[in-house]
Amino acid sequence: NSKVIQTPRYLVKGQGQKAKMRCIPEKGHPVVFWYQQNKNNEFKFLINFQNQEVLQQIDMTEKRFSAECPSNSPCSLEIQSSEAGDSALYLCASSLGGTGQLYFGEGSKLTVL
Amino acid sequence: AQSVTQPDARVTVSEGASLQLRCKYSYSATPYLFWYVQYPRQGLQLLLKYYSGDPVVQGVNSFEAEFSKSNSSFHLQKASVHWSDSAVYFCALSMHYNQGKLIFGQGTKLSIKP
């Protein structure tokens, strides 16, 4: 059973609407990752954090995607203005850092109508 | 650029038969390699991992994988599959310098015939 908790499991949005997903990493894991898995099973790394600081992120030049991992609160991934192409499974994972294995949540499946 | 290739998009085997799912990687140094399984409507679960040492690694549910540096491969094997092994399997690579970020293969969907 996954100890990385993602909510909501499913969300349905209209185009242009905001979509927000949350993730509680496994206890004691300082590193958090967000991946996007599309219907073709292609994974796209979005961003990772160590504690509250961004380690790496894709070029979010569109600025529609934002993420944060505040202390003592769940991490979150937000899409400001959803587009049909954003429909995907958004996976959160956490790790102890370094080359430690990633533990994945069950994902938040976003459908943009 | 680093990459992972799973050449078989779909594999079908009979229950009780042996299984091999193929994975090839491209990376100039020794990678860290993983196999994950994804059941319908679920996240990814780790089956096994290779960091160094013995090239044959054992995982959960009697899965094992063999790392081959010469062939740049990390094939997953199981001696006797069960219907519950039906799922999508992903091979993934991590490099020592990239904070554990994973590069995934395209996945292999495994179907088990009764």
Side-chain angles (χ1 to χ4, degrees):
Chain A
N1 290 331
S2 175
K3 295 178 182 177
V4 175
I5 307 299
Q6 289 189 247
T7 56
R9 288 292 308 277
Y10 303 92
L11 59 167
V12 180
K13 298 293 178 181
Q15 294 200 46
Q17 289 187 319
K18 187 181 300 186
K20 188 168 186 174
M21 294 153 267
R22 293 177 175 81
C23 171
I24 301 175
E26 185 159 341
K27 190 174 182 180
H29 285 191
V31 183
V32 174
F33 298 76
W34 284 100
Y35 282 87
Q36 178 195 65
Q37 181 186 10
N38 68 19
K39 63 179 181 179
N40 296 320
N41 284 331
E42 295 163 332
F43 289 83
K44 182 179 183 180
F45 167 80
L46 296 176
I47 192 168
N48 60 353
F49 294 84
Q50 179 151 348
N51 298 313
Q52 293 80 51
E53 302 298 319
V54 175
L55 291 175
Q56 300 166 299
Q57 62 180 332
I58 62 167
D59 183 11
M60 297 184 179
T61 55
E62 290 186 63
K63 303 298 183 189
R64 295 188 303 110
F65 286 73
S66 63
E68 62 177 2
C69 269
S71 62
N72 301 316
S73 293
C75 298
S76 64
L77 176 68
E78 188 170 69
I79 306 173
Q80 289 296 323
S81 178
S82 300
E83 298 177 356
D86 298 331
S87 295
L89 182 68
Y90 290 84
L91 290 164
C92 176
S94 70
S95 81
L96 288 168
T99 56
Q101 74 179 67
L102 273 60
Y103 294 81
F104 284 85
E106 296 195 329
S108 292
K109 185 175 180 180
L110 171 65
T111 301
V112 182
L113 301 175
Chain B
Q2 299 81 20
S3 66
V4 176
T5 300
Q6 293 178 246
D8 305 308
R10 294 175 181 270
V11 169
T12 300
V13 297
S14 298
E15 190 166 18
S18 63
L19 168 72
Q20 183 186 71
L21 301 182
R22 297 184 291 165
C23 173
K24 299 273 285 184
Y25 68 88
S26 174
Y27 179 51
S28 56
T30 300
Y32 304 117
L33 293 162
F34 306 82
W35 275 98
Y36 284 88
V37 62
Q38 187 175 36
Y39 298 102
R41 295 174 295 281
Q42 293 189 23
L44 300 173
Q45 299 174 30
L46 182 70
L47 284 177
L48 46 78
K49 59 191 177 189
Y50 173 79
Y51 285 163
S52 64
D54 189 338
V56 179
V57 291
Q58 306 294 325
V60 300
N61 295 337
S62 302
F63 283 97
E64 68 176 34
E66 183 169 4
F67 168 69
S68 171
K69 189 177 176 73
S70 60
N71 293 324
S72 298
S73 67
F74 189 56
H75 301 329
L76 181 70
Q77 299 174 77
K78 187 169 184 178
S80 177
V81 297
H82 186 264
W83 65 267
S84 60
D85 293 325
S86 297
V88 182
Y89 292 78
F90 293 96
C91 182
L93 171 157
S94 174
M95 296 157 285
H96 70 278
Y97 60 82
N98 71 341
Q99 315 289 348
K101 187 173 74 173
L102 293 173
I103 297 171
F104 287 92
Q106 305 92 325
T108 298
K109 184 172 183 179
L110 175 64
S111 299
I112 308 297
K113 291 190 297 185

